[in-house]
Amino acid sequence: MKFLDQCKIYLRSGNGGGGAVSFRREKYIEYGGPDGGDGGKGGDVWIEAVDGLNTLIDYRYQQHFKAETGIHGMGRNRHGAAGEDVVLKVPVGTEVLDEDKETLIADMDMPGKRLLLLRGGNGGWGNDRFKGPINQAPRHANPGQEGEERWIWLRLKLIADVGLVGLPNAGKSTFLAAASAAKPKIADYPFTTLAPNLGMVDLSPSERFVLADIPGLIEGASEGAGLGTRFLGHVERTAVLIHLVDATQTDVAEAWRTVRAELEAYGEDLGDKTEIVALNKIDALDDSVIEMQREALEEAVGGKVRLVSGVSGKGVTELLREAYGMVRDRKAQVAEEEAEQAGGAGWTP
């Protein structure tokens, strides 16, 4: 399945059905009167977040969605049926943006969340609605109302608890494969990963979280260099970032600074997220070189640096447990804040 995380689509709700002009004509009934029915309502356009999807590829091959027109009214006071709705099913984490690609219409961040985007036109009244003591035989009916239309952007931001960042070829995909059952493409050249990958980390039956691997960042990514920062949106929702630094390169401190600069330039509070820095590929170096690289990186970071190897698995479980602890604390904090808001919004005498 190909990965697609943003697309532009056209939406139109259904027109309402027209009312009918009809008169009752039956043998032995002298005064039949008007009996034109109303038209049916046009179909609405809805959007719904569903589990089991992680790409917008369904909207790559169809960009126009139109709800059905309501059925016209008929004689004998028969009302037309309503037009069928259109329901857009999107992955959890999809943002709905206006045509300017900046105005946020909705954030589909919960499974089952459903939102009305466009309302269908009302059906027109038939001539039976217009009869009265003055006008007992109306010969006119209302047409159905026009539906609404608009262009929108869909932008997917994957729901993950922990994000992997680093320079290209820092070993992020290898780390993801060692930490979860995901099978990302792994090779010994930069930009092996061209689209984000997700993996479910199972430390124990009660310790599970989602890990996201995004393509590597290079200097100038915020200005479009390499793959740019397009995929950084997929780690905006994470509670913690794991920053992997290749221990086999010459200047590990500069590698860390390069990625940090791009995270801060991107904005969206990525630069303020909790970060765990780890030296990767330690299986390829001896102890003295590892210690030298660690000291250089700790001096730049100003904190503790972990040692891991995605190939041998050394230090991976310990790092994942530390990340899970931060995720758990973050979720508890969010739940507490939501509970306080809910309690404060209640009725008071």
Side-chain angles (χ1 to χ4, degrees):
M1 179 184 294
K2 293 185 177 181
F3 184 83
L4 184 69
D5 64 347
Q6 60 181 7
C7 59
K8 186 179 182 181
I9 59 175
Y10 170 81
L11 307 176
R12 179 174 175 83
S13 59
N15 297 334
V21 176
S22 174
F23 293 90
R24 186 178 182 185
R25 292 285 186 265
E26 293 185 40
K27 192 174 182 180
Y28 306 121
I29 297 179
E30 183 177 0
Y31 302 105
D35 67 350
D38 300 339
K41 179 181 175 298
D44 301 328
V45 179
W46 296 81
I47 188 167
E48 181 180 1
V50 297
D51 280 327
L53 296 177
N54 57 9
T55 176
L56 296 172
I57 193 64
D58 293 339
Y59 303 98
R60 167 66 178 83
Y61 306 104
Q62 182 181 356
Q63 294 88 31
H64 293 75
F65 297 88
K66 299 179 181 179
E68 286 188 351
T69 300
I71 304 300
H72 300 309
M74 293 165 281
R76 298 184 181 178
N77 286 315
R78 288 176 294 175
H79 299 323
E84 187 175 350
D85 296 341
V86 167
V87 180
L88 307 175
K89 296 186 181 298
V90 296
V92 178
T94 301
E95 290 183 339
V96 184
L97 305 173
D98 206 351
E99 190 175 1
D100 60 9
K101 210 176 179 181
E102 294 180 358
T103 305
L104 180 64
I105 299 173
D107 188 0
M108 312 302 289
D109 57 349
M110 296 290 291
K113 188 173 183 179
R114 188 178 172 99
L115 178 72
L116 177 64
L117 293 178
L118 297 178
R119 188 178 298 278
N122 290 326
W125 282 0
N127 67 336
D128 181 62
R129 294 269 195 172
F130 298 98
K131 67 182 179 182
I134 304 301
N135 186 7
Q136 298 181 9
R139 296 183 178 274
H140 69 277
N142 285 344
Q145 289 183 338
E146 290 286 327
E148 303 171 338
E149 62 180 356
R150 73 188 307 178
W151 286 90
I152 64 169
W153 281 89
L154 299 178
R155 181 170 64 190
L156 173 61
K157 293 182 179 179
L158 294 177
I159 301 294
D161 300 307
V162 179
L164 285 176
V165 296
L167 290 175
N169 221 23
K172 299 186 297 298
S173 296
T174 303
F175 184 89
L176 178 66
S180 68
K183 300 185 182 300
K185 182 179 180 181
I186 299 173
D188 59 351
Y189 54 83
F191 294 113
T192 307
T193 301
L194 298 177
N197 294 305
L198 287 180
M200 177 63 73
V201 178
D202 283 302
L203 297 174
S204 72
S206 61
E207 297 175 309
R208 304 182 70 196
F209 64 89
V210 179
L211 182 63
D213 167 31
I214 64 170
L217 302 172
I218 64 174
E219 186 175 0
S222 58
E223 299 173 359
L227 292 178
T229 57
R230 172 183 169 184
F231 295 114
L232 277 179
H234 297 292
V235 295
E236 283 183 23
R237 304 178 190 270
T238 58
V240 60
L241 297 177
I242 295 178
H243 188 160
L244 293 183
V245 180
D246 186 356
T248 63
Q249 59 189 359
T250 306
D251 194 343
V252 291
E254 183 60 28
W256 175 81
R257 293 191 191 97
T258 298
V259 176
R260 284 298 305 173
E262 299 306 324
L263 292 176
E264 292 171 359
Y266 177 80
E268 302 297 336
D269 298 327
L270 276 187
D272 298 329
K273 282 192 179 293
T274 304
E275 180 187 52
I276 302 176
V277 182
L279 269 177
N280 195 18
K281 304 183 182 180
I282 61 172
D283 59 292
L285 303 172
D286 56 36
D287 294 341
S288 60
V289 177
I290 292 173
E291 191 59 32
M292 180 183 66
Q293 295 285 60
R294 180 177 187 171
E295 290 177 358
L297 187 54
E298 284 184 343
E299 182 178 355
V301 173
K304 181 181 177 181
V305 172
R306 290 76 174 169
L307 302 177
V308 298
S309 171
V311 173
S312 66
K314 183 177 180 180
V316 172
T317 302
E318 293 80 1
L319 178 57
L320 294 175
R321 288 195 180 278
E322 182 179 358
Y324 174 74
M326 295 180 178
V327 170
R328 182 184 55 204
D329 294 342
R330 175 59 180 162
K331 288 183 176 179
Q333 180 183 353
V334 171
E336 184 178 349
E337 291 175 355
E338 291 178 350
E340 289 179 356
Q341 292 177 357
W347 179 86
T348 55

